Amino acid sequence: MTRPQIGIVGGGLAGLSAAIACGDAGARVTLFEARTRLGGATWSSERDGLWIDNGQHVFLRCCESYIAFLRRLGVMDLVTIQDRLDIPVLMPGRGMARLRRGALPAPLHMTGSLLHYSHLSVLDRLRVGRAALALRDLDLSDPKLDAQSFGSWLREHGQSEAAIERFWDLFTRGTINLRAHDASLALAVKVFQTGLLTDPRAGEIGISKVPLSQLHAEPAARELERLGGVVQTSAPVEAVECGPHGEVSVRSRDRVFPFDAVIVATPHDAAAEILPDQAKVDREALRALGKSPIMNLHIVYDRVVMDEPFAAGVETPMQWIFDHTAAAGLPSGQCLTVSLSAADAYLGVSREKLREQFEPALQRLFPAAKDAQIVEFFVTCERAATFRGAPGTASMRPKTETGVRTISLAGSWTDTGWPATMEGAVRSGNNAARAALLSVGVRTGLPVAVAA
Ligand SMILES: Cc1cc2nc3c(=O)[nH]c(=O)nc-3n(C[C@H](O)[C@H](O)[C@H](O)COP(=O)(O)OP(=O)(O)OC[C@H]3O[C@@H](n4cnc5c(N)ncnc54)[C@H](O)[C@@H]3O)c2cc1C
C-alpha cells in the first residue's frame, strides 16, 4: 500500500505532535511553517551569548499528553519535575509562605500548607479551603459554567479580594493567562480539578533545563526527518483548498501541493483566513476567541539574588520568577526570568520604564538584589500568546473534525477543554492526527483519542 500523504500547516507543538503521530502510523508528512523555525509559541534565541526563551514555560505532572510527547522525542532527561508540589510565595514586607503538598489524600493534600499560608488571614484560609471543595464538586460538563467568570463565582463563595489576588490568581493567571475576574469558570474548574483537587501529584511543576528550541523544535525536526517527513520552513500557507470531489491541497508560495488529508495547526486567526468554505468552520467565532499577551523580563545579575529555582509573588508586580541561569548558559551571576501573564497593561511600556518599575520591586522581594548589579535587562513580549479564555469561549472552540472529512484542526484553541497550554496543543495534535489518519483509511498505529 502506498503511504498516505498528509500535509500539516503550522509547526508549533500541535503541528509537531500531529506530524510525529502521523509519521509513526506510516503516513508521509509534509509540514509547512510560515516562520524560519519550528516550535511555534515555544522558541529560543541567542542574545549576547545567552539562550533566552520567548517566555518561561512550565508544565504540570498531569500534562500527560505533553509528557508522552517529550518521551516520544527522547528528551525527558532535559526537563525536571518536582517530587512534591512546593511553591514558595513571596510578598513584600511579609517574606515567604509555601504552598506544598502534605501527606493527606486529595483534595486534602494542600490543607496543611493552606492553614499555614501566612499571606492570608486565618478566616480567608478557611474560606479558600471551603471554596476549593465546592469547586471540586462542580460538574465540568455543565455548559452553564462557561457563562460565568471565575471571579464572580469566587465572590459568591465568600472569597475576599485578598484571597483572589494572593491565592486564586497565582494559578489562574499562570494557566489561563487571565485574572480570575476575566477568566471563564469552566476553564478554572478544569485547571483546579485536574491540577490541584483530584490527584495529589498532579500539580507538581515541570521545567525545561535547556532552551525550549532544544526541547521541542530540534528533536522533533530530527524525528520527522527520520520518519521520512519533509519540513518546509519560511513556507506560509495562503490557502487550504478543497476540490469538487473532496480532494485537498495546500497553496504555499504560489505552488499547490495535493494531499490525501490536511491538518491545519496554525493559530486560530490564521486558520480563519486559510480554511476553505467547505470546512464549514465559523470564522467569526475563531476571530472572537481573541488574544491575551504574555511578557517576560530577563534580568542578568552579577551575583545570585534568588536561591529558589522559582517563586511566585503576591501584592507585587512580579507574578512568577524563575532562575533561568543554567538554561541560558550563564557561567556566573544569575539570570532571572519574570513572567507576566495577562500582560495587557504592560503593552507599549518601554524597557526603561519597565526597569524603573521592576528593579525596586525585585529588591523588595530579594534583599540580595540591593547590592547586586544588573548586567542585562531585556524584555520579550508575545501579544497573542494565547486565546482569551473568557466566559463564553467554550462554544467558540471548534472540534477537530471539519465539514471536509480530510481536513482536521489542531491548536491549543481547539475544543480540548484545556486552556491554551502545551498540553492542550499536544492533545489537539494527537486528536487531529487520529482524525486525518482515519479519513485516509489508516486503522492501526493511531494515537489514542483523548476526551475534552
Ligand atoms: C510567552 C508564552 C508563555 C507561555 N507559557 C506557557 C506555560 O508556562 N505552560 C503552557 O503549558 N503553555 C504556555 N504557553 C502557551 C503554549 O506555548 C501554547 O498554548 C502552545 O505552544 C501553542 O501551540 P500551537 O501549536 O497550538 O500553536 P503555535 O505554537 O502558535 O503554532 C502555530 C504555528 O503556525 C504557524 N503559522 C501561522 N500561520 C501560518 C501559515 N499561514 N502557514 C504556515 N504556518 C503558519 C506559526 O508560525 C506557528 O509556528 C505560553 C505561551 C507563550 C507565548
Side-chain angles (χ1 to χ4, degrees), residues 157-176:
H157 287 75
Q159 303 302 292
S160 65
E161 276 308 311
I164 295 175
E165 157 69 21
R166 298 179 196 173
F167 180 80
W168 298 104
D169 269 346
L170 276 182
F171 304 98
T172 316
R173 264 197 296 240
T175 51
I176 307 179

Side-chain angles (χ1 to χ4, degrees), residues 3-8 15-16 18-32 38 72 220-233 259:
R3 294 172 77 186
Q5 309 271 333
I6 299 187
I8 297 181
L16 292 174
I20 288 183
C22 288
D24 281 345
R28 186 157 194 281
V29 167
T30 304
L31 190 147
F32 299 85
L38 298 177
R72 172 65 189 80
R222 280 196 296 273
E223 201 47 31
L224 274 176
E225 193 181 337
R226 200 186 62 78
L227 291 166
V230 175
V231 174
Q232 298 205 14
T233 48
F259 292 105

Side-chain angles (χ1 to χ4, degrees), residues 88-100:
V89 186
L90 302 166
M91 179 166 152
R94 289 236 196 143
M96 183 191 290
R98 300 192 92 96
L99 287 169
R100 60 179 149 193

Side-chain angles (χ1 to χ4, degrees), residues 341-420:
S341 298
D344 305 74
Y346 296 114
L347 294 180
V349 179
S350 68
R351 190 176 69 98
E352 289 70 29
K353 286 266 176 254
L354 288 166
R355 183 167 174 172
E356 267 169 38
Q357 181 179 1
F358 280 87
E359 194 174 336
L362 278 156
Q363 291 174 0
R364 278 196 289 278
L365 287 192
F366 305 109
K370 288 190 186 127
D371 299 323
Q373 294 297 316
I374 292 184
V375 182
E376 296 263 16
F377 184 106
F378 50 91
V379 179
T380 51
C381 181
E382 295 278 2
R383 286 176 175 260
T386 64
F387 76 86
R388 214 171 168 77
T393 40
S395 61
M396 297 172 189
R397 299 175 71 180
K399 303 261 178 245
T400 306
E401 293 81 8
T402 72
V404 179
R405 205 172 42 85
T406 46
I407 300 179
S408 323
L409 303 180
S412 57
W413 45 275
T414 57
D415 182 23
T416 63
W418 284 70

Side-chain angles (χ1 to χ4, degrees), residues 116-363:
H116 291 97
Y117 187 56
S118 54
H119 298 331
L120 289 182
S121 69
V122 175
L123 192 60
D124 269 345
R125 293 176 216 170
L126 295 172
R127 286 183 175 144
V128 165
R130 217 170 41 207
L133 291 179
L135 198 59
R136 188 197 55 160
D137 290 341
L138 289 179
D139 177 4
L140 245 184
S141 65
D142 179 354
K144 283 206 293 294
L145 298 189
D146 190 51
Q148 186 174 6
S149 81
F150 184 38
S152 67
W153 184 91
L154 289 171
R155 295 308 302 241
E156 283 168 21
H157 287 75
Q159 303 302 292
S160 65
E161 276 308 311
I164 295 175
E165 157 69 21
R166 298 179 196 173
F167 180 80
W168 298 104
D169 269 346
L170 276 182
F171 304 98
T172 316
R173 264 197 296 240
T175 51
I176 307 179
N177 196 19
L178 288 178
R179 293 198 60 208
H181 288 299
D182 302 320
S184 156
L185 173 59
L187 286 177
V189 172
K190 176 70 189 169
V191 165
F192 284 94
Q193 285 189 354
T194 312
L196 272 185
L197 297 169
T198 37
D199 175 348
R201 300 209 60 189
E204 289 161 4
I205 293 175
I207 296 184
S208 177
K209 296 191 271 189
V210 297
L212 288 171
S213 297
Q214 281 178 35
L215 187 69
H216 300 146
E218 291 169 19
R222 280 196 296 273
E223 201 47 31
L224 274 176
E225 193 181 337
R226 200 186 62 78
L227 291 166
V230 175
V231 174
Q232 298 205 14
T233 48
S234 306
V237 166
E238 291 111 37
V240 175
E241 291 166 343
C242 180
H245 307 293
E247 60 276 27
V248 282
S249 57
V250 158
R251 187 151 48 80
S252 176
R253 292 176 296 181
D254 296 328
R255 279 187 62 196
V256 174
F257 300 82
F259 292 105
D260 298 310
V262 171
I263 295 173
V264 173
T266 64
H268 52 285
D269 49 351
E273 301 306 318
I274 64 175
L275 282 164
D277 290 343
Q278 297 97 314
K280 296 197 176 76
V281 172
D282 184 345
R283 293 196 171 88
E284 287 315 310
L286 288 193
R287 293 184 187 115
L289 276 172
K291 51 191 170 190
S292 184
I294 299 180
M295 185 177 277
N296 277 246
L297 312 178
H298 310 269
I299 305 143
V300 180
Y301 282 101
D302 65 347
R303 67 197 75 178
V304 174
V305 301
M306 176 172 91
D307 50 18
E308 300 279 349
F310 64 85
V314 294
E315 302 295 344
T316 160
M318 237 99 54
Q319 297 172 11
W320 287 81
I321 311 109
F322 297 85
D323 181 358
H324 193 68
T325 310
L330 183 70
S332 65
Q334 192 171 40
C335 177
L336 295 186
T337 299
V338 177
S339 180
L340 304 171
S341 298
D344 305 74
Y346 296 114
L347 294 180
V349 179
S350 68
R351 190 176 69 98
E352 289 70 29
K353 286 266 176 254
L354 288 166
R355 183 167 174 172
E356 267 169 38
Q357 181 179 1
F358 280 87
E359 194 174 336
L362 278 156
Q363 291 174 0

